[in-house]
């Protein structure tokens, strides 16, 4: 009697086409946080803006008081501006998405035939067989809301906008304040230990690098990217911006003759 005990056992095929038990590793899913863009964008901009301001002030040999006054004033003003800007842009995107959906609903209700043809062409372009595409569209034709969703799906994230744009604005403002404080904190922390502005500037460089590295790690965690590469990009961005600001400050003081 023939043994069929393994007849229904699944056969895993490896990359060489022969039987085996190896499977390709499942990619890591990104963190689907609603405010990832606001945190990363505001945090990166805050660190670089504050560090660049401190670099230009230090190159111009201004005092620690100047750094603190200009640094915090710039931090709050830019934070408010960016938070309000995020709120406005998110509100606009949401309004545009709602308008596009109303247009899609009108098209489905009043130009059903044209919308069916459009979907047929789209599915066939994606590689679907003509008969299968016709069957899928015929099913969707029974459900107008699904047809609207399919029509909207050609937009980029149109249905994924935040429900409350003010939250985006608030998150942007808070992230800007938190990350932007890092370069300025060195001038406060080192007050009891030294009066040397150059040492304080070096401390600001260290804290800025740490903040950028942490932001790079967070960005990699959110997006499922390589940690080292993400940190390297954010650190490089900060270094280039800080060097440019320092160079401009030094040039204006020593070459252009803009002295105290």
């Amino acid at each position: 009697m023939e043994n069929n005990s393994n007849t229904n056992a699944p056969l895993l095929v490896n990359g060489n086409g022969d039987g085996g038990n190896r499977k390709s590793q499942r990619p890591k899913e990104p963190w689907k946080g609603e405010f990832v863009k606001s945190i990363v964008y505001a945090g990166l901009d805050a660190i670089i803006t504050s560090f660049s301001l401190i670099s230009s002030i230090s190159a111009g040999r201004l005092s620690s008081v100047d750094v603190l006054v200009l640094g915090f004033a710039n931090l709050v003003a830019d934070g408010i501006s960016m938070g309000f800007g995020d709120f406005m842009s998110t509100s606009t995107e949401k309004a545009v998405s709602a308008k596009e959906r109303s247009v899609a609903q009108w098209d489905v209700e009043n130009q059903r035939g044209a919308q069916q043809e459009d979907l047929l062409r789209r599915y066939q372009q994606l590689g679907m067989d003509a008969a299968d595409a016709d069957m899928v569209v015929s099913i969707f034709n029974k459900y107008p809301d699904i047809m609207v969703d399919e029509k909207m799906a050609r937009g980029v994230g149109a249905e994924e906008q935040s429900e409350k744009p003010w939250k985006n604005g608030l998150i942007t403002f808070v992230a800007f304040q938190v990350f932007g404080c890092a370069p300025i904190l060195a001038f406060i922390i080192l007050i009891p230990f030294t009066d040397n502005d150059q040492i304080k500037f070096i401390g600001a460089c260290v804290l800025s690098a740490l903040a950028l590295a942490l932001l790079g790690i967070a960005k990699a965690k959110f997006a499922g990217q390589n940690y080292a590469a993400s940190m390297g990009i954010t650190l490089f961005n900060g270094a280039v911006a800080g060097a440019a600001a320092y160079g401009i400050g030094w040039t204006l003081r020593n070459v252009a003759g803009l002295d105290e």
Side-chain angles (χ1 to χ4, degrees):
M1 184 174 177
E2 195 173 332
N3 186 2
N4 294 322
S5 60
N6 293 324
T7 302
N8 297 323
L11 176 63
L12 300 177
V13 179
N14 63 17
N16 297 322
D18 53 350
N21 292 322
R22 290 183 297 174
K23 288 184 179 180
S24 61
Q25 187 176 5
R26 185 174 185 265
K28 294 181 180 179
E29 288 190 12
W31 186 66
K32 300 178 179 65
E34 183 180 356
F35 305 107
V36 170
K37 184 189 77 171
S38 297
I39 294 172
V40 173
Y41 177 62
L44 182 61
D45 188 77
I47 297 169
I48 292 176
T49 298
S50 294
F51 180 59
S52 298
L53 178 66
I54 291 173
S55 297
S56 61
I57 292 174
S58 297
R61 298 177 189 173
L62 299 180
S63 67
S64 297
V65 175
D66 296 317
V67 171
L68 293 176
V69 171
L70 294 176
F72 279 113
N74 178 75
L75 189 65
V76 174
D78 276 4
I80 293 172
S81 176
M82 285 199 63
F84 187 73
D86 197 344
F87 165 74
M88 292 296 294
S89 64
T90 305
S91 299
T92 302
E93 288 176 355
K94 186 177 179 182
V96 169
S97 177
K99 184 66 175 178
E100 288 178 343
R101 186 170 185 86
S102 67
V103 172
Q105 286 175 331
W106 189 93
D107 288 342
V108 169
E109 292 171 1
N110 297 277
Q111 298 177 352
R112 184 70 62 89
Q115 300 309 310
Q116 287 179 279
E117 291 294 328
D118 191 33
L119 285 177
L120 277 172
R121 285 193 300 270
R122 179 187 170 205
Y123 293 148
Q124 289 177 22
Q125 288 171 357
L126 291 173
M128 189 178 289
D129 179 80
D132 291 338
D134 185 67
M135 180 182 66
V136 171
V137 173
S138 297
I139 294 173
F140 282 167
N141 190 43
K142 301 177 182 178
Y143 308 96
D145 287 343
I146 295 180
M147 285 195 69
V148 172
D149 290 338
E150 283 296 298
K151 185 175 173 63
M152 291 292 294
R154 279 171 288 180
V156 181
E159 294 297 302
E160 298 180 359
Q161 303 302 330
S162 174
E163 290 291 330
K164 297 179 179 179
W166 66 266
K167 286 187 178 180
N168 290 74
L170 180 61
I171 292 295
T172 297
F173 175 77
V174 172
F176 196 93
Q177 302 306 307
V178 171
F179 285 100
C181 278
I184 305 174
L185 281 177
F187 285 82
I188 298 175
I189 295 172
L190 294 176
I191 286 176
F193 305 101
T194 181
D195 292 327
N196 190 313
D197 290 334
Q198 288 299 316
I199 295 178
K200 293 177 182 178
F201 175 64
I202 293 173
C205 293
V206 173
L207 286 182
S208 297
L210 288 174
L212 286 169
L214 289 174
L215 188 64
I217 292 173
K219 176 177 172 291
K221 180 67 175 178
F222 292 154
Q225 297 173 336
N226 180 273
Y227 288 100
S230 182
M231 281 194 300
I233 292 172
T234 55
L235 286 169
F236 177 76
N237 190 354
V240 171
Y246 190 92
I248 291 172
W250 185 91
T251 301
L252 290 175
R253 178 182 175 85
N254 297 282
V255 178
L258 299 181
D259 210 333
E260 293 182 86

